[in-house]
Amino acid sequence: MSILEQGIRGISQDKIDDIIYDSVNVNNKYSLMDYFKQNPFQSISIVVVISSMLVGVLLLFLYKSNQMKKELEKERKKYEYLA
């Protein structure tokens, strides 16, 4: 152990900092697919929630569109009757 300590003392502080930085700063690329593989339950939950939200927005749009069509049909019949 003392031999290692003497060896470490012989290295400059800048060199030690570089060694530590190189060891800590590992450039791992982490993708969304890696997250899905590591967290399957959470990933499925997120996909289900987002899909449900999209379906909800689509259904709301269709409902509003259908209401507008009914309103326009009422107005058309009203003006047709008045004409």
Side-chain angles (χ1 to χ4, degrees):
M1 190 69 157
S2 65
I3 296 172
L4 288 175
E5 289 175 5
Q6 288 174 0
I8 291 173
R9 276 189 231 132
I11 302 174
S12 70
Q13 187 61 41
D14 290 335
K15 185 66 176 170
I16 291 173
D17 290 343
D18 289 341
I19 292 169
I20 292 171
Y21 180 76
D22 289 341
S23 298
V24 172
N25 191 16
V26 178
N27 208 3
N28 288 338
K29 293 191 178 191
Y30 193 71
S31 69
L32 185 60
M33 214 46 146
D34 293 334
Y35 177 81
F36 285 159
K37 288 176 185 174
Q38 291 178 1
N39 304 296
F41 181 72
Q42 290 89 346
S43 301
I44 290 171
S45 299
I46 290 170
V47 169
V48 167
V49 167
I50 291 173
S51 299
S52 299
M53 290 172 64
L54 289 173
V55 167
V57 168
L58 179 62
L59 289 174
L60 181 65
F61 174 76
L62 291 173
Y63 175 75
K64 291 289 186 180
S65 176
N66 195 25
Q67 278 187 329
M68 291 290 284
K69 284 181 185 177
K70 286 180 181 178
E71 288 275 331
L72 287 173
E73 186 61 27
K74 280 183 187 177
E75 290 293 318
R76 186 188 66 76
K77 285 183 180 180
K78 176 181 160 185
Y79 288 120
E80 192 176 272
Y81 176 75
L82 292 174

